[in-house]
Amino acid sequence: MTSALQLDQVSARPSDSASVGAIGDLSHHLARIRVFDPDVRAARKPWGISESGDYLNSDASNLADFLRKLKEDEDAWELLLEDVQKVVPQIRDIHLVTPPDAVSHRTAVELEENGLRGRTRLADASWGTVRILCMLALFHDPNPPLLTCIEEIDHGIHPHALSLMAERLREASERSQYLVTTHSPIFVNELEPEEFVPCGRRPSGASVIPARKLRDIRGVIKASEYEPMGNLWYSGSLGGIL
């Protein structure tokens, strides 16, 4: 596989090289692809205030700074807070503070929760709470890259939150392109047939994508008298492997 460093080295060839333009275009497009895989441990930590807040890192390590930047847009912030409260109802508010044990140019996240006298530092919040905050923040990103890929989008997310996740993913897809994988029939139940691509494997081990064409998927759904698509997929009726 060619690395970004190798692409830079190739781009350093004389400007009359026929491949320079094509490689430059490829490098530009690769730089606009985000493989989003939140590192919950990193996302819990305070982050230095910088221009990094304009863009949520692939591992969500700058979550605090990204939220600080997002809060400058009151409408975007209110929508995010409403979403968080839908899936974690005990959260009353999200506060961005300067941690007392850190330098002044750092931001930390604290959660205000019903029934608790003090605030909960994100460092002390549950794994699932931090991950859902990372995922919802991603979908409210006002400046998404060209393509965002998410492996196991449902990982660590409460099943009751998957409906909202699918809805926000669909809305975010109007601003950018998303490619996600899942093994959750509950999440697939929230998708439309044209949003679902079952993946299979031949006896040789070669991948089959899609494992079933869209017209066949629609046919199976109709023949089942419109059984939820995730249930049909789980039963094996739509192809793909679990």
Side-chain angles (χ1 to χ4, degrees), residues 125-190:
S126 70
W127 194 94
T129 296
V130 178
R131 182 171 170 85
I132 192 67
L133 181 57
C134 292
M135 299 302 300
L136 290 174
L138 175 75
F139 297 142
H140 287 278
D141 188 343
N143 300 300
L146 184 68
L147 170 66
T148 296
C149 304
I150 308 173
E151 179 77 10
E152 301 291 356
I153 190 173
D154 55 278
H155 179 51
I157 305 299
H158 194 286
H160 288 191
L162 295 180
S163 176
L164 177 65
M165 292 278 288
E167 182 180 349
R168 292 296 174 261
L169 175 61
R170 188 173 293 116
E171 293 171 355
S173 296
E174 296 178 0
R175 304 191 304 273
S176 182
Q177 187 172 12
Y178 287 80
L179 177 63
V180 308
T181 65
T182 183
H183 283 89
S184 170
I186 297 174
F187 184 75
V188 175
N189 278 341
E190 303 296 332

